[in-house]
Amino acid sequence: MSSAEQSLIELCLKHQTLQRSDVWCHSGDDAAGMSPRSGEGIVTTVDAQIEGTHFDKRFTAQAIGHRSLAVSLSDIAAMGAQPCWAMASLSLPIDDSKWLSEWSQGFIRLAEQYDIECVGGNLSKGARAIHTTLIGQVNPTHALHQHTAQMGDDIYITGTLGASAWALNHPLGASSIEQSAYQQWQYPNPPVNFAQAAAPWIHACLDISDGLIEDLTRLLKRSLCAATIDLDACPYHPVLNTLSSQEAINAALLGGEVYELCFTAPQSHASMLKDLAQQHQCQLSLIGEIQPGSGLYWQQGSRRPIPQGAAFEHFKSN
Amino acid sequence: MSSAEQSLIELCLKHQTLQRSDVWCHSGDDAAGMSPRSGEGIVTTVDAQIEGTHFDKRFTAQAIGHRSLAVSLSDIAAMGAQPCWAMASLSLPIDDSKWLSEWSQGFIRLAEQYDIECVGGNLSKGARAIHTTLIGQVNPTHALHQHTAQMGDDIYITGTLGASAWALNHPLGASSIEQSAYQQWQYPNPPVNFAQAAAPWIHACLDISDGLIEDLTRLLKRSLCAATIDLDACPYHPVLNTLSSQEAINAALLGGEVYELCFTAPQSHASMLKDLAQQHQCQLSLIGEIQPGSGLYWQQGSRRPIPQGAAFEHFKSN
């Protein structure tokens, strides 16, 4: 660990008041040391935020810090796990301690919201980018997977769709709806607590960061089943009302950077899930059903099924 | 996890024959899942390899793959821990599957040498860079630290010094010594097995990736003690014979990118450590002694102590 890395860690720790009791080597040695709960498994994910690819000049350093962690949080949430320990590996073109300090404020504020300790860091010279590792804990028998959807399951998604897709292509105006869309894009907040609480009642789960169609299609392939989605039941972000109906559907269904979850659950658990969502202030929408066969089907109004492949191309071409 | 990430993981897994029995979610879900050994702690580190900063055109993709893991291996070795699970987050300017395949061959070959499973990956568009997370296991009471050197301890280093510093500034010639220096620079192989075997006989340990002076000085500050190093006992790589005496000392003592260990141990363990080094084919050099006070002192020939600060400046100015 070089002096530069030391400074980063010290900078991060300056903003960090949290020290988890299961961390026995907080920083300073070559690696951090933690003691997972006896009998539990650990889950790990890594995700990147790269200037020009994932964020642009419209992002403050704080927003980038928040987002650097949030994108990994949704992966841990999708496993029904509790996020515990984070590490950030940054590259920066110049030694910019002001930027780094603001970045770490955004990162640490979100981390502490979920009792996550930042246990390590790395800083190198290079194009501006942040690669975040997040480690969580979960009982392996209770972890959520993508291949475990069952026939007749309801299909739910959390949050709303399309805000990031809209924000990517539109400047921020003065309206509170536009501000809400920008907030969701720049400060995503995956439903971590809801996912842990709801995990026992869920069959299959994944995050929809690549867009609902791409991710739900993956879940269906893994679970060897089909699904039909009701387009009228999808939770469109209100900012999409400014677009044509076709553009809105494109943004909502194909747009990525949605750090929310899509999951399936037996119909008998519907009221329990509704209650848990209310307790955790999580917007929850029942959008479809798991069916025998393969492929993703859509219905709207007349409830006419549209083959997924064609729908996808149709949305794309508009 | 996007389609691009999927391809990366599939590419890596194509080269990976190893599946650890403690991994219960190998890949495909949003995060990987593992079960650490009961009662053991986990140690985690992240390190980066960035084009233009850590490697250049002289590196093949395979060498970069090897190095991407090796730089994190030395951190886990320095904790006396067993490396177990790795994740790589890459950014690449173009979708270059040939490069990626060669890269992963280098990464996976080294991983399998140490029974490490690559459990996750991420691929984004951006300047060529690799951020590697490595997680190991160790009993927390047996983990090695930097602050635990004791008065009278011997100071050891593994491997040789100066090969990377030389290679950074010299083209590769035809001699086997130059090839050996390039090999150490491009394919570092930290003494992972030796470190685990020797851990019970070691007091304090760290890797010397930032150079012997910088890293040993950090160990001394953390352990609240001083040390004197015998310059004639330091293991100079033979390629340094082509340099002036002063240049050779600079390269050996200040040069970074040395993925070897520096550790301290009681004099009574000297023969045990020597035996273990031999068993693990690890070059081991006794280079000095921990003493009361503070600071790093040097002696050579006349054994005249030179204050560390002055020595450092002296080396730097030459």
Side-chain angles (χ1 to χ4, degrees):
Chain A
M1 191 179 292
S2 72
S3 313
E5 293 168 45
Q6 268 323 102
S7 331
L8 169 69
I9 290 169
E10 281 158 18
L11 202 61
C12 284
L13 293 182
K14 204 180 69 183
H15 297 297
Q16 179 165 274
T17 55
L18 177 80
Q19 285 209 327
R20 288 179 61 96
S21 59
D22 55 13
V23 179
W24 46 267
C25 188
H26 290 275
S27 81
D29 283 311
D30 289 87
M34 298 88 86
S35 289
R37 282 191 290 271
S38 177
E40 293 236 327
I42 58 171
V43 288
T44 68
T45 183
V46 61
D47 217 331
Q49 289 289 294
I50 295 174
E51 187 165 49
T53 302
H54 303 99
F55 60 87
D56 59 23
K57 298 291 178 202
R58 291 176 287 173
F59 280 71
T60 63
Q62 269 200 38
I64 299 167
H66 176 103
R67 215 167 193 276
S68 304
L69 181 58
V71 297
S72 292
L73 264 180
S74 72
D75 288 326
I76 297 297
M79 301 291 290
Q82 179 194 13
C84 299
W85 312 291
M87 295 190 294
S89 184
L90 290 92
S91 56
L92 293 178
I94 50 164
D95 182 11
D96 184 346
S97 65
K98 183 169 174 288
W99 189 92
L100 210 49
S101 175
E102 288 174 14
W103 175 88
S104 72
Q105 281 174 52
F107 190 93
I108 294 296
R109 191 170 49 196
L110 180 60
E112 298 204 333
Q113 184 182 333
Y114 291 110
D115 200 30
I116 297 165
E117 181 171 337
C118 180
V119 293
N122 183 66
L123 179 59
S124 300
K125 194 164 181 287
R128 196 181 305 273
I130 306 99
H131 298 249
T132 302
T133 299
L134 186 58
I135 307 178
Q137 293 184 91
V138 68
N139 184 319
T141 58
H142 300 153
L144 300 177
H145 301 281
Q146 296 175 11
H147 66 275
T148 42
Q150 295 182 20
M151 292 313 140
D153 275 359
D154 286 332
I155 301 171
Y156 295 89
I157 55 176
T158 63
T160 63
L161 298 171
S164 290
W166 178 87
L168 274 164
N169 296 311
H170 294 85
L172 174 60
S175 81
S176 64
I177 287 176
E178 291 179 346
Q179 280 163 9
S180 150
Y182 260 65
Q183 178 76 13
Q184 274 196 31
W185 178 44
Q186 300 192 330
Y187 290 90
N189 209 340
V192 176
N193 295 334
F194 166 73
Q196 284 177 76
W201 286 272
I202 289 177
H203 277 160
C205 185
L206 83 178
D207 81 358
I208 48 174
S209 55
D210 294 316
L212 179 61
I213 286 187
E214 182 168 336
D215 285 312
L216 180 51
T217 300
R218 183 178 307 127
L219 183 145
L220 297 176
K221 283 184 181 159
R222 295 250 164 85
S223 293
L224 304 174
C225 56
T228 300
I229 297 299
D230 180 354
L231 290 192
D232 291 332
C234 288
Y236 302 97
H237 189 280
V239 80
L240 300 184
N241 290 333
T242 59
L243 304 179
S244 74
S245 162
Q246 188 60 58
E247 284 173 338
I249 289 178
N250 281 347
L253 303 186
L254 298 177
E257 307 200 11
V258 187
Y259 297 99
E260 297 288 347
L261 303 180
C262 174
F263 63 88
T264 82
Q267 294 182 355
S268 56
H269 295 163
S271 72
M272 170 63 81
L273 289 166
K274 200 176 149 191
D275 287 353
L276 287 171
Q278 222 160 17
Q279 275 174 40
H280 290 279
Q281 297 175 298
C282 173
Q283 182 172 343
L284 190 63
S285 306
L286 172 56
I287 62 162
E289 188 186 319
I290 296 291
Q291 294 162 334
S294 65
L296 180 54
Y297 296 78
W298 306 92
Q299 53 190 23
Q300 184 172 32
S302 67
R303 309 191 83 73
R304 179 174 55 86
I306 304 165
Q308 181 266 332
F312 188 87
E313 287 311 308
H314 177 64
F315 293 145
K316 274 208 161 160
S317 66
N318 277 272
Chain B
M1 190 179 294
S2 72
S3 313
E5 293 168 46
Q6 268 323 101
S7 333
L8 169 68
I9 290 169
E10 279 158 20
L11 203 60
C12 284
L13 292 182
K14 205 180 67 181
H15 297 296
Q16 181 166 272
T17 55
L18 178 80
Q19 285 209 329
R20 288 179 60 95
S21 61
D22 55 13
V23 178
W24 46 266
C25 188
H26 291 275
S27 83
D29 282 310
D30 289 271
M34 298 87 86
S35 289
R37 282 191 291 270
S38 176
E40 294 237 327
I42 57 171
V43 290
T44 68
T45 183
V46 61
D47 216 332
Q49 289 288 295
I50 295 173
E51 187 165 49
T53 301
H54 302 98
F55 61 86
D56 58 23
K57 298 292 178 201
R58 291 176 289 173
F59 280 71
T60 63
Q62 270 200 35
I64 298 166
H66 177 103
R67 216 168 191 274
S68 303
L69 180 58
V71 298
S72 292
L73 265 180
S74 72
D75 288 326
I76 297 298
M79 301 292 289
Q82 179 194 13
C84 299
W85 312 292
M87 294 190 294
S89 185
L90 289 93
S91 56
L92 294 178
I94 49 163
D95 182 11
D96 185 346
S97 65
K98 184 169 173 288
W99 189 92
L100 210 50
S101 175
E102 288 174 11
W103 174 89
S104 73
Q105 281 175 50
F107 190 93
I108 294 296
R109 192 171 48 195
L110 181 60
E112 298 205 335
Q113 183 181 336
Y114 291 110
D115 201 30
I116 297 165
E117 181 171 337
C118 179
V119 293
N122 183 66
L123 177 60
S124 299
K125 194 164 181 287
R128 196 181 305 273
I130 306 100
H131 296 250
T132 302
T133 298
L134 186 58
I135 307 178
Q137 293 184 90
V138 67
N139 185 318
T141 58
H142 300 153
L144 300 177
H145 301 281
Q146 296 175 10
H147 66 275
T148 41
Q150 294 183 21
M151 292 313 141
D153 274 0
D154 286 332
I155 302 172
Y156 295 89
I157 54 176
T158 63
T160 63
L161 298 171
S164 291
W166 179 87
L168 274 165
N169 297 309
H170 295 84
L172 174 59
S175 82
S176 64
I177 287 176
E178 289 179 346
Q179 280 165 7
S180 149
Y182 259 65
Q183 177 75 12
Q184 274 195 31
W185 177 45
Q186 299 192 330
Y187 290 90
N189 209 339
V192 176
N193 295 334
F194 166 73
Q196 285 177 75
W201 287 272
I202 289 177
H203 277 160
C205 184
L206 84 179
D207 81 358
I208 48 174
S209 54
D210 293 316
L212 180 61
I213 285 187
E214 182 167 334
D215 285 312
L216 180 52
T217 299
R218 181 177 309 126
L219 183 147
L220 298 176
K221 282 185 180 157
R222 295 249 163 88
S223 293
L224 304 174
C225 57
T228 300
I229 296 301
D230 181 353
L231 290 193
D232 291 332
C234 287
Y236 304 97
H237 190 279
V239 81
L240 301 184
N241 290 333
T242 60
L243 305 179
S244 75
S245 162
Q246 188 60 59
E247 283 172 338
I249 289 177
N250 280 348
L253 303 185
L254 298 177
E257 306 199 13
V258 187
Y259 298 99
E260 297 288 345
L261 303 180
C262 174
F263 64 87
T264 83
Q267 294 182 354
S268 56
H269 294 164
S271 72
M272 171 62 83
L273 289 166
K274 200 176 148 192
D275 287 353
L276 287 171
Q278 224 159 16
Q279 276 174 40
H280 291 278
Q281 297 175 298
C282 173
Q283 181 170 345
L284 189 63
S285 305
L286 172 56
I287 63 162
E289 189 185 318
I290 296 291
Q291 295 163 333
S294 66
L296 180 53
Y297 296 79
W298 304 93
Q299 54 190 24
Q300 184 172 33
S302 67
R303 311 192 80 76
R304 179 174 54 86
I306 305 164
Q308 182 265 329
F312 188 87
E313 288 310 308
H314 177 63
F315 294 142
K316 274 208 163 163
S317 64
N318 274 270

